[in-house]
Amino acid sequence: MTTMIHVENVAKEFTLHNQGGVRLPVFDNVDFTVAAGEALVLAGASGAGKSSLLRILYGNYRPTSGRIVITHAGRPVDIVSAVPRTVLDIRRRTLGFVSQFLRVIPRVSALDIVRDPLLARGVSPEEASERAKAMLARLNLPQRLWELAPATFSGGEQQRVNIARSFVDPSPIMLIDEPTASLDAGNRDVVVGLIAEAREQGSAIVGIFHDEAVRESVATRYLDITEFRKAA
Amino acid sequence: MNMQVNPQELTLDPAPLLSVAGVSRFYGERIGCADVSFDLWPGEVLGIVGESGSGKSTLLRCLAGIDRPDAGQVLFRGGAEPLDIYSVAEQERRRLMRTAWGIVHQNPRDGLRMDVSAGGNVGERLMDNGARHYRKIREAALDWLQRVEIAAGRIDDRPRQFSGGMQQRLQIARVLVSEPRLVFMDEPTGGLDVSVQARLLDLLRVLVRDLGLAAIIVTHDLAVARLLTDRLMVMKDGHVVEQGLTDQVLDDPHHAYTQLLTSAVLTV
């Protein structure tokens, strides 16, 4: 199997300069790899740094040391040392991040939010619309909402728009942070199905799932990050 | 694992559009901005943030060819040859600013001619660049007014009859009609109501993306930076204290000053 993520000696420590320079070590010496078609579930108690690790993989948080080699367009790229536009290109084509929160942009409709990643990858506007509509329907978002900007949607509706956007064209690597929190059982099953499909199509998945049933149906492998916990 | 990784190789367009090296400007003893260096590539949007007096507007004026820096170099690669904008004659710099660059001022009055019609304001830029066909100029002006959501019926009205938000949109049309490669914006949403800001921001976001513009945006508003920019430079007392991908800088700020800025906002 193709290695998609290679994490090498990653450590993270936050320094809070405005709170007396307090240093908060999170983890140290993190090493693992994830291959295409795998779903690695991060385990560990709340506060162990699961979300921080996921954000580091996305290039959102900067690790204190170490490197993260992403297979991007068939070539290895260290996302930690990559220049900003390379990171953006990696995110556009290789690396997707799914959270439970939608960043609402004024005046942009739900349909446009979901279409956007397809357009960015060069899909024709007609095909992008069709696929976006199919995905919103699959996630049971009422059709009357599709043309509206999600600012006024409920939390669960916004969440489903966000998931639709992420899975309308699954990336080769999908980083997933608690996607099913606050969804009802029916929609939760849809999300589990979407993750499984993405994985079967070859996506490498790294995720955090609070819900045990979801975790067990998604995971092909677990990583307990408590073992990297730095002795504070 | 010991493989070679070199992100620089991956890029399709190896030459930056703008290369800034060691730009400094002083006001007597006081530092305006000191030793600023960066590269900007086509299609990239760079934000410069910091509070008032941090030097961000001074820097923008140096970059945009308005104020000559006391030290440093600004190299623009818009044509066949890279151009050091402060080593060429004033006349050539002005031509560049008129054709390849655009500047959106915080106060629309600084960028518009208030006694010329809306259509005239937009058309004038095209005439500056050599357009002479009246009907085509008027068509282009009309098209741009609509793109910035100004009703066609207002084409013969003067900007002083417009609201602040409309004036700002008109200024943007005037700047973008000549299809610049690089746009400088100084607090483009400053002084507007929040609801008007949202409309303008969405408009800018779409235009920047659709036109593939490179842009440098000065703002003190981190939410504006988050929405519009790819990269961020944080300035304090004339120095760049932190820079990187916008979401990195805002979500995982390393410098004490950036931590202070991001924690002072209610929601970014």
Side-chain angles (χ1 to χ4, degrees):
Chain A
M1 276 298 205
T2 319
T3 297
M4 295 302 291
I5 306 174
H6 178 86
V7 178
E8 202 175 284
N9 270 320
V10 163
K12 178 64 180 171
E13 179 178 273
F14 292 100
T15 306
L16 309 180
H17 293 288
N18 300 300
Q19 294 176 53
V22 165
R23 293 154 79 102
L24 299 174
V26 185
F27 39 64
D28 204 0
N29 284 317
V30 180
D31 284 291
F32 64 91
T33 61
V34 189
E38 273 197 301
L40 179 72
V41 169
L42 302 179
S46 177
K50 301 188 292 294
S51 288
S52 292
L53 180 55
L54 216 54
R55 282 168 172 263
I56 287 173
L57 296 181
Y58 192 58
N60 176 228
Y61 284 6
R62 291 166 282 188
T64 312
S65 61
R67 58 180 204 162
I68 290 158
V69 181
I70 302 285
T71 303
H72 173 57
R75 308 181 56 178
V77 187
D78 175 16
I79 199 166
V80 176
S81 60
V83 296
R85 66 210 178 97
T86 302
V87 177
L88 292 177
D89 189 53
I90 293 172
R91 291 180 183 174
R92 188 157 44 239
R93 297 196 279 153
T94 300
L95 198 58
F97 193 96
V98 190
S99 79
Q100 50 180 305
F101 303 109
L102 177 69
R103 191 172 290 284
V104 178
I105 298 171
R107 301 205 305 166
V108 182
S109 74
L111 189 60
D112 281 340
I113 291 173
V114 179
R115 261 159 41 107
D116 195 51
L118 291 166
L119 297 177
R121 288 173 178 171
V123 175
S124 75
E126 296 74 27
E127 188 192 333
S129 294
E130 287 314 306
R131 287 170 63 181
K133 286 175 184 170
M135 187 55 70
L136 286 170
R138 188 167 168 190
L139 281 155
N140 304 303
L141 192 80
Q143 194 168 351
R144 65 190 152 77
L145 299 181
W146 294 0
E147 298 292 343
L148 302 179
T152 55
F153 291 9
S154 74
E157 285 162 352
Q158 289 192 3
Q159 193 178 347
R160 280 178 281 150
V161 171
N162 202 34
I163 290 167
R165 174 185 167 90
S166 305
F167 284 96
V168 72
D169 187 33
S171 304
I173 300 172
M174 300 284 280
L175 308 173
I176 306 178
D177 192 354
E178 297 278 19
T180 58
S182 89
L183 290 187
D184 61 35
N187 283 313
R188 194 186 60 205
D189 291 345
V190 173
V191 174
V192 170
L194 289 170
I195 297 172
E197 278 170 34
R199 189 179 62 71
E200 281 156 16
Q201 285 163 23
S203 291
I205 289 168
V206 183
I208 302 167
F209 306 95
H210 185 70
D211 184 313
E212 195 178 329
V214 171
R215 197 159 59 215
E216 284 180 0
S217 50
V218 167
T220 62
R221 201 153 60 89
Y222 289 91
L223 179 71
D224 185 350
I225 74 161
T226 317
E227 63 180 280
F228 304 116
R229 186 89 205 177
K230 200 168 183 172
Chain B
M1 199 155 88
N2 197 11
M3 53 188 170
Q4 287 299 312
V5 287
N6 186 357
Q8 288 288 359
E9 273 175 46
L10 291 170
T11 53
L12 299 170
D13 42 5
L17 187 63
L18 191 75
S19 293
V20 176
V23 164
S24 306
R25 181 164 166 86
F26 305 98
Y27 299 102
E29 293 286 287
R30 201 164 61 77
I31 294 173
C33 62
D35 200 21
V36 177
S37 304
F38 66 90
D39 288 320
L40 186 77
W41 276 265
E44 253 188 340
V45 181
L46 170 74
I48 305 175
V49 298
E51 54 201 28
S52 16
S54 60
K56 53 193 198 305
S57 292
T58 299
L59 175 61
L60 192 79
R61 293 175 67 83
C62 289
L63 301 178
I66 302 169
D67 286 344
R68 177 180 291 272
D70 295 311
Q73 194 188 48
V74 179
L75 209 62
F76 179 66
R77 289 185 194 79
E81 295 288 315
L83 199 69
D84 177 348
I85 68 159
Y86 288 108
S87 74
V88 298
E90 173 82 15
Q91 200 182 358
E92 181 156 14
R93 186 161 67 248
R94 292 203 171 278
R95 191 190 55 78
L96 177 79
M97 289 167 69
R98 214 170 48 230
T99 56
W101 291 9
I103 300 174
V104 176
H105 298 272
Q106 174 174 7
N107 187 340
R109 280 160 212 279
D110 297 334
L112 290 173
R113 294 205 14 215
M114 300 305 282
D115 52 353
V116 170
S117 71
N121 261 288
V122 179
E124 193 178 55
R125 277 278 289 203
L126 289 174
M127 291 197 288
D128 279 351
N129 290 334
R132 286 294 171 266
H133 193 296
Y134 175 78
R135 193 174 54 82
K136 281 188 184 158
I137 291 171
R138 193 168 166 94
E139 272 172 18
L142 199 59
D143 175 49
W144 266 98
L145 289 179
Q146 282 162 352
R147 287 176 81 164
V148 298
E149 302 172 9
I150 294 174
R154 305 295 302 266
I155 189 168
D156 295 317
D157 291 349
R158 287 167 194 207
R160 62 176 85 259
Q161 294 164 270
F162 289 179
S163 67
M166 272 176 83
Q167 287 180 359
Q168 195 55 299
R169 297 203 302 278
L170 179 62
Q171 190 192 185
I172 288 164
R174 177 180 161 98
V175 168
L176 296 184
V177 68
S178 57
E179 299 177 3
R181 304 276 315 271
L182 176 59
V183 177
F184 299 91
M185 302 188 201
D186 189 2
E187 302 278 8
T189 62
L192 298 176
D193 289 341
V194 176
S195 58
V196 179
Q197 269 192 28
R199 181 179 190 184
L200 189 69
L201 281 174
D202 179 47
L203 191 72
L204 282 174
R205 189 184 63 84
V206 170
L207 288 173
V208 164
R209 191 190 59 188
D210 290 356
L211 302 174
L213 290 176
I216 299 180
I217 302 176
V218 161
T219 179
H220 69 280
D221 186 333
L222 298 184
V224 168
R226 167 91 78 178
L227 188 67
L228 293 180
T229 68
D230 303 314
R231 288 162 56 194
L232 217 51
M233 288 197 325
V234 182
M235 289 192 74
K236 183 182 191 317
D237 301 333
H239 296 269
V240 175
V241 296
E242 183 161 3
Q243 58 179 314
L245 209 58
T246 297
D247 63 275
Q248 281 177 350
V249 173
L250 295 179
D251 293 340
D252 186 14
H254 283 202
H255 191 276
Y257 180 67
T258 319
Q259 291 185 354
L260 193 65
L261 271 188
T262 53
S263 64
V265 196
L266 294 177
T267 46
V268 182

